[in-house]
Structures are given as structure tokens and as C-alpha cells.
Amino acid sequence: MLHLTDIQLQDNKVFLSMLSHVLSVDGFYFSTTYDLTHTLQRLANTSPEFQEMSLLERADPRFVWNGHLLREFAAQPEIHRFAMPVMHGFITMHSCSINGKCFDWLLVSRRSCFRAGVRYYVRGIDSEGHAANFVETEQIVHYKGSKASFVQTRGSIPFFWSQRPNLKYKPKPQISKSVNHMDGFQRHFDSQIISYGKQMIVNLVNQKGSEKPLEQTFAKMVNSMANGMVRYVAFDFHKECSRMRWDRLQILMDQLAEQQDEFSYFLVDSDGKIVTQQEGIFRSNCMDCLDRTNVIQSLLARRSLQAQLQRLGVLHVGQRIEEQADFEKIYKNAWADNANACAKQYAGTGALKTDYTRTGKRTQWGLIMDGWNSLIRYYKNNFSDGFRQDAIDLFLGNYSVDEVEPASPLHVKKDWKFLALPIIMVVAFSMCIICLLMAGDTWTETLAYVLFWGSASFGTFAIILYNGKDFVDAPKLVQKEKMD
């Protein structure tokens, strides 16, 4: 540290704060005895030589978040035992009882470290076919030595598109016009087929408005690929479930039922004999692959669990999971916690629509909390996610600090517009306070004053003077690809 200049010392403090910021996010897990990066089915189909490898050697690199930090350990086999792969995501384990029969129920979500980042700044895929916000979720049951699991994945729409923040509540998605989408698209699904088998795409984006071109392009590319291992279903979640008609989700479940029965699930008995294997996977997505996606995944997982528990003899013939009040509460809360964990790691807030996941119905309080989370997401996506993205890129090794680098990317000169922001914010806030004091007796008049003068003060300044996209907190360390 003594040889660093004052500027380098300042930069070093920023770099350390970035690493601390990443590590402060909940959801890092490791085990000294069990390979958290692989599903039960993958582990059951490995060779004896694989089982003898160290955890670092055999770990799935997609889910090893400290891979860059362990690079020097990886080059020295004699110290592999000191290197523990760290997974990022969500794990919950519960000891449950139905009909007096005790079993363990687990939910594991593994976030990919490839094309990792935050909402809006990381969308679509990269040239290697890695999708943004890709998460593998495995539901596991242990009962009297038998083990069953059901695996699903989620991930961004797998072609080249972007949705950079520009102060608008929902920036318009932009599909790149200058790249060959099919190359990355093909690579993505080739790797998915190798890892999981058949693919059933469940696309939950809106089929009108700004999301419509994404749905149309996705469907067109699946048809163009003409791969019998990949099937596609589009379900306009918001349209079908509008006006609290959440019972209409059963339409999609019925549509997927035959496919789910064909895919089956993984089951190994107490003697270690494989009874059934999962032959395919549901790849669900919405825009963020968080809220709508988690609702659908929880319903698919419930249907699979119903079949598993009946086969294991935990549930009697004709019994439904929904009728088991104690377990149903555990199940719903676990999936809602899973949604919150994935959402905080990608979007910066808890998930939306978790009231439905927890209670099985949409509530007025749930709508209020969704509004609050949406407001927090808006602020973070525009004004703080640039730092979060830089922190993740630094932690994963996408950016390496170079001591001899002449100019640090952290030092970006800001023009007068950015320096004037605090003054404008104070003026806007002051106008709101004055309006509250001067407004009429009714809440309607007060609200009208606040909305009009407050939005006029700050909104006009931000949109007209700053021109949106030039004002948001963009990443500095790694130049992202530019979309046409």
C-alpha cells in the first residue's frame, strides 16, 4: 500500500467498498461435504472418478461465484481442500410431516455467475449464449432414504436486446439490429439441452405494448431453429390475470400438464437405485424473470411434489397438498422467500406478487407493497445500480484492477448538469412542502397541488434538461455492448 499514490489509495477504498457491497448481499452458501452446484440427478449420474475429485474441481462453473478469487488455488491441486466453491442464490430446508410421516423438503436456487448483473443493465444473452439472471431451481424431498427432485430454470429472453434506464418508469426494450441473434440463441439452447434435456419454454411477457416485439421475436426464433427438443408456449400473464382473476393460471397449468408428465422427475430409492429420471425442463421467463416467473414455477413445482409424495407413500390416494394446512403454509412461504431472494439480488428489492405465492390469493395490501417495491426499484435502477453492476463485475473478475493503468475509470468528469442536481432536488422538495401548506382543506386539493408542482419541478428538469439516459448512474468499470 505504501507505493500507491493518493489517487490510487482513494480508488482502492472504492474497490474495497465494491467487494464489501457484493458480499453484504444475502444468499452466499458453501458446504465442506456436499456439492451445492449440482442437482441430485447430475450427481447420481457421475463416475467414481468424479466423486473422488475435490469440490473445487468438480463444481459446475456456472454457479461458482468465487471462481475468480480461487483461480490461484485452482492451479495448485495440493491445496484444493482449502478452496470451497461458493454458490449464490437461495436455500431453505424444512422438516415436515403429513399423515404422521416425516420427510425433509428443500428448495435450492442457484444463480449463474455468467452474464451476472442487475436489472436493466444486464438483459438478453452474451456471445457465448449465457442468459442474464439465469437461475436453476431444484426442489428436493428426502423420505426414508429415498430422494426425489424436480428442476426448473429461469433466464432472460435469449437473444440480444437491452433496456437501459433513462428515467422513464419502464424504458422501452431495444432489440439489436447489428448482430446475428441465431448464433447466440443456438448456443444457449445447445448448452441447455446438454445440461437438462428437452426444453419447454414458458414465456410470460405481455403480448401487446413494448413487450410484444420480444414475444414475437422469441417465437419466431424458436420456429426458425426447428429443434424438436425445444417447444414454446406464450402466456400473457398480466392480461389473463387482470382484475384479480388469478384462477386463470390454471389454464396454463392444464396446458403444460401433459408435458410435465412426460418430463417426469428424478427419484432414487433407499438402495441407491435410480427409479425415474427427469427427461426435460421448464424454462420460464418474464421480463425480469422474477415475479411472474416465480409464481408459475411454484405452481409447476407443487404439481410435481404432489406426484412425488404420492409415489413415496406420504400422501394417500386422493389427498391433495392444498389440503395439508401446515405443510401448505411452509411451501408457500418458502417459494415467496425464494422470490424475494432472487429479486433482491437482481432488482434490489423484494419480489412482487408474493402475496399470491404466500396466501394463494391477491390482496389489497399486496398491491400496495408491490407499488412500494416498484418505487424503490425505480430509484435504484436509475440512481444506484451502476455502482452495483461495477461491484459485481469487479467481484467476478470481469474487470481487473491494473496498477499501471494511467487513468482509473472511476474518475469520470461530470458536467454542470450533475452538479446542479442537489440544488434542483432541494427546490423541488421545497415546492412540495409549500404546496402542502398552501393547499385547501381536502386531500384531493392537496394531492393535486403536490402532484402538479412536485412533478413539474423535478420531472421537467430531469426529462427536458437532463435528457433521461445521460443522467442515470451508469456502470464505469466495464463497457457494455451497445445496442442499435
Side-chain angles (χ1 to χ4, degrees):
M1 297 290 287
L2 295 177
H3 66 284
L4 299 180
T5 66
D6 289 341
I7 294 178
Q8 288 176 325
L9 286 170
Q10 292 176 8
D11 289 347
N12 197 58
K13 289 181 180 179
V14 176
F15 291 137
L16 290 175
S17 69
M18 288 179 177
L19 296 178
S20 297
H21 180 80
V22 174
L23 293 172
S24 68
V25 177
D26 290 339
F28 286 102
Y29 301 89
F30 75 93
S31 171
T32 59
T33 57
Y34 184 77
D35 190 344
L36 293 174
T37 66
H38 289 289
T39 63
L40 285 180
Q41 181 162 313
R42 285 200 295 266
L43 291 173
N45 288 309
T46 56
S47 64
E49 292 77 18
F50 178 88
Q51 298 289 344
E52 293 175 1
M53 292 180 181
S54 67
L55 290 174
L56 178 60
E57 288 178 294
R58 65 191 239 180
D60 189 329
R62 295 178 300 167
F63 307 122
V64 181
W65 273 65
N66 60 336
H68 173 68
L69 304 177
L70 293 176
R71 64 194 183 283
E72 294 184 9
F73 284 78
Q76 304 176 64
E78 65 274 12
I79 58 174
H80 278 184
R81 65 182 182 276
F82 300 109
M84 293 293 106
V86 171
M87 185 201 86
H88 196 210
F90 175 77
I91 297 178
T92 187
M93 297 175 283
H94 296 275
S95 295
C96 309
S97 178
I98 296 178
N99 295 325
K101 300 174 181 178
C102 298
F103 62 95
D104 293 324
W105 179 79
L106 300 85
L107 191 61
V108 182
S109 283
R110 308 173 176 96
R111 290 190 73 213
S112 175
C113 60
F114 298 140
R115 194 155 178 76
V118 299
R119 183 181 186 236
Y120 286 155
Y121 284 115
V122 180
R123 297 293 211 190
I125 57 172
D126 60 20
S127 58
E128 299 299 316
H130 301 305
N133 199 27
F134 182 85
V135 182
E136 173 189 272
T137 299
E138 180 179 22
Q139 179 178 259
I140 301 172
V141 176
H142 285 193
Y143 177 64
K144 290 186 176 180
S146 296
K147 303 174 186 177
S149 81
F150 179 67
V151 179
Q152 302 178 72
T153 61
R154 66 178 75 181
S156 190
I157 298 174
F159 49 80
F160 298 95
W161 63 283
S162 62
Q163 195 178 12
R164 293 304 173 83
N166 57 7
L167 291 184
K168 294 181 180 179
Y169 179 69
K170 276 192 176 181
K172 185 177 180 181
Q174 301 291 330
I175 300 174
S176 177
K177 300 176 182 177
S178 61
V179 295
N180 186 338
H181 293 280
M182 188 53 73
D183 284 349
F185 190 84
Q186 186 76 54
R187 288 178 184 175
H188 176 76
F189 281 106
D190 284 347
S191 66
Q192 295 303 293
I193 290 170
I194 291 172
S195 297
Y196 304 107
K198 296 177 181 178
Q199 300 285 302
M200 185 69 208
I201 300 166
V202 183
N203 189 1
L204 304 171
V205 303
N206 299 342
Q207 296 179 26
K208 64 178 183 179
S210 62
E211 297 181 12
K212 181 179 180 180
L214 295 174
E215 192 281 319
Q216 291 178 327
T217 303
F218 202 174
K220 182 179 179 181
M221 294 188 70
V222 172
N223 291 332
S224 298
M225 188 169 60
N227 188 331
M229 296 286 284
V230 181
R231 302 179 188 177
Y232 178 88
V233 168
F235 183 80
D236 192 329
F237 189 104
H238 286 152
K239 177 184 176 183
E240 294 294 340
C241 300
S242 62
R243 303 192 198 92
M244 301 290 192
R245 297 179 302 172
W246 290 74
D247 58 296
R248 293 180 63 80
L249 290 174
Q250 190 59 42
I251 296 173
L252 178 60
M253 293 300 102
D254 293 341
Q255 190 175 358
L256 299 176
E258 183 178 349
Q259 191 72 66
Q260 188 169 7
D261 293 339
E262 178 187 328
F263 287 168
S264 189
Y265 50 82
F266 175 73
L267 177 63
V268 58
D269 63 20
S270 56
D271 296 325
K273 179 183 177 181
I274 296 176
V275 180
T276 63
Q277 298 210 55
Q278 188 172 339
E279 303 293 339
I281 205 162
F282 289 96
R283 185 202 188 278
S284 306
N285 76 270
C286 46
M287 290 295 287
D288 300 322
C289 307
L290 296 174
D291 313 312
R292 289 172 275 184
T293 295
N294 196 80
V295 170
I296 296 304
Q297 285 196 337
S298 69
L299 296 178
L300 289 168
R302 183 204 302 274
R303 190 173 185 275
S304 179
L305 185 61
Q306 174 78 32
Q308 292 169 5
L309 292 180
Q310 284 184 338
R311 187 160 188 169
L312 291 171
V314 175
L315 283 176
H316 299 153
V317 177
Q319 277 189 317
R320 306 291 301 173
I321 289 178
E322 294 88 337
E323 299 167 356
Q324 316 306 314
D326 292 339
F327 177 74
E328 180 74 353
K329 183 177 180 180
I330 292 172
Y331 180 88
K332 288 179 176 179
N333 282 324
W335 271 98
D337 292 341
N338 178 68
N340 282 332
C342 292
K344 287 177 181 177
Q345 292 158 12
Y346 186 58
T349 73
L352 311 183
K353 304 176 179 66
T354 52
D355 56 324
Y356 179 81
T357 309
R358 292 188 192 279
T359 66
K361 60 183 179 180
R362 206 69 162 103
T363 64
Q364 294 296 330
W365 178 248
L367 290 173
I368 293 172
M369 289 306 300
D370 283 358
W372 174 251
N373 280 330
S374 296
L375 180 63
I376 299 301
R377 282 186 186 183
Y378 172 81
Y379 174 82
K380 289 191 173 185
N381 297 158
N382 283 280
F383 304 113
S384 66
D385 273 359
F387 180 85
R388 282 211 304 148
Q389 185 64 56
D390 283 339
I392 292 171
D393 284 327
L394 181 65
F395 184 84
L396 295 177
N398 298 331
Y399 173 83
S400 297
V401 179
D402 187 351
E403 226 180 283
V404 298
E405 191 173 16
S408 169
L410 294 175
H411 300 286
V412 178
K413 187 176 181 180
K414 295 183 178 181
D415 61 23
W416 66 270
K417 294 185 296 184
F418 294 88
L419 299 177
L421 173 64
I423 298 174
I424 301 301
M425 289 289 288
V426 170
V427 172
F429 182 74
S430 300
M431 291 297 294
C432 289
I433 298 298
I434 293 172
C435 291
L436 285 172
L437 296 174
M438 296 178 62
D441 295 332
T442 66
W443 279 105
T444 305
E445 293 179 56
T446 302
L447 185 59
Y449 268 83
V450 172
L451 290 177
F452 179 78
W453 288 108
S455 61
S457 300
F458 180 71
T460 303
F461 172 78
I463 295 173
I464 297 177
L465 186 58
Y466 282 104
N467 195 22
K469 62 182 180 181
D470 298 325
F471 179 57
V472 295
D473 180 36
K476 299 180 181 69
L477 297 186
V478 179
Q479 285 289 335
K480 303 296 179 183
E481 65 274 15
K482 292 184 178 180
M483 301 298 179
D484 291 340

